[in-house]
Amino acid sequence: MNYELRIGLHIVISILQKNKKMLEKAKKYIKEIENFIPNKAEEVEQLRVKFLSTKGGIIKKLFSEFRNVPHKDKREYGLVLNKLKKTIANKVKTLKSELKNKNTEVINFDLSLPGELDNGSRHPISIVKNEIIEIFKRLGFTISKGPEIEDDWHVFSALNFPPEHPARDMQDTFFIEKNPDILLRTHTSSVQVRVMDGQEPPIRTISPGRVFRNEAISARAHCIFHQIEGLYIDKNVSFADMKQTLLYFAKEMFGKNTEIRLRPSYFPFTEPSAELDVSCTLCNGKGCNVCKYTGWLEILGCGMVDPNVLKSNNIDNVKYTGFAFGMGIERIAMLKYDINDLRMFFENDLRFLKQF
Ligand code: DAH
């Protein structure tokens, strides 16, 4: 029991010495308060009623003994009783709040329960990007990066784009400054140029990154998207090396029964150029509405690095040959997860993102 409470009750006792019956009672109360260890808030409330109730509480009764107290002790008796009353009231208050906190802890905190925080998950674009990176890493490709804000040289000129090529048109490219042109890169092929600039062959690298094009946003196009560029330059690199590398990639990415086909195409920076199709991941080549009943899905552009590009980047185009390829990560992710609206990747809708 609290020190003041004890002293208070002892003083009351000493004053009550003369009234034997009251004395016995007071001693009993001291014991009761001393031994009082509540388990529930209701028990503290019961103690409060017993001592402090204005209708028949013990303190009230002790006050009614006032008239039996000798005149000289009256003042002290009154003071002590008031103090006692206050002390018990405070005690009751603290006991109650202690119990309340204890109870809420017991109810709300079971430390053995697992945390309730939702774990975050990787964005599907990151998942697919990392998967592609891992596949090419197994073939010895390194990872290289370049800036998103580029100049004309790295995005177009060094890649053999003729000055009048439509990709330089305002419709495709977000220009930041004109003359000299500073722009948002429209493809990750610009990183090829940066790698060639800083490294002698052999070069075997992939460059993942964000690219920007001035396109209307729709289910199939966006003004921001992601690409992975590949570049392999060494002595005696052939079209067959490219084909085998891309076949390995397709089988690792879409399953070992996946087949590929190469269709002739045109890119300023490769000669010959091709587009690579994989057998449709949904119908296994039989024909469905995803592959528009052709059995094939286009996944990337590729080709042998144009000797002009090697020359522009100070690489001996007699000694060295190479191949390059570039793919859209969104496109691969859409095929892999059967997503039919590209905008989903950019909307941050948790109902979508939580599925990966
Ligand atoms: N840069 C091309 C694009 O954005 C993709 C591409 C095609 C990259 C062929 C290449 C390549 O390296 O050889 O459409």
Side-chain angles (χ1 to χ4, degrees), residues 159-160 192 237-239 242 264-274 301-310 320-325:
L159 289 166
N160 201 33
Q192 281 193 23
V237 176
S238 69
F239 197 89
M242 180 183 84
S265 186
Y266 170 78
F267 298 103
F269 36 90
T270 44
E271 182 58 36
S273 303
C302 57
M304 300 306 291
V305 180
D306 192 305
N308 278 343
V309 172
L310 295 175
Y320 293 110
T321 50
F323 66 79
F325 56 89

Side-chain angles (χ1 to χ4, degrees), residues 159 161 186-190 192 211 213 225 227-231 242 266-275 300-305 323-328:
L159 289 166
F161 276 79
T186 53
H187 55 180
T188 43
S189 303
S190 55
Q192 281 193 23
V211 298
R213 282 187 203 180
F225 56 101
Q227 286 188 335
I228 291 194
E229 183 79 15
L231 179 68
M242 180 183 84
Y266 170 78
F267 298 103
F269 36 90
T270 44
E271 182 58 36
S273 303
E275 252 147 347
L300 56 82
C302 57
M304 300 306 291
V305 180
F323 66 79
F325 56 89
M327 66 187 98

Side-chain angles (χ1 to χ4, degrees), residues 149-167:
I149 299 174
E150 269 290 11
D151 51 25
D152 177 274
W153 170 257
H154 291 91
V155 177
F156 300 127
S157 299
L159 289 166
N160 201 33
F161 276 79
E164 71 285 1
H165 195 278

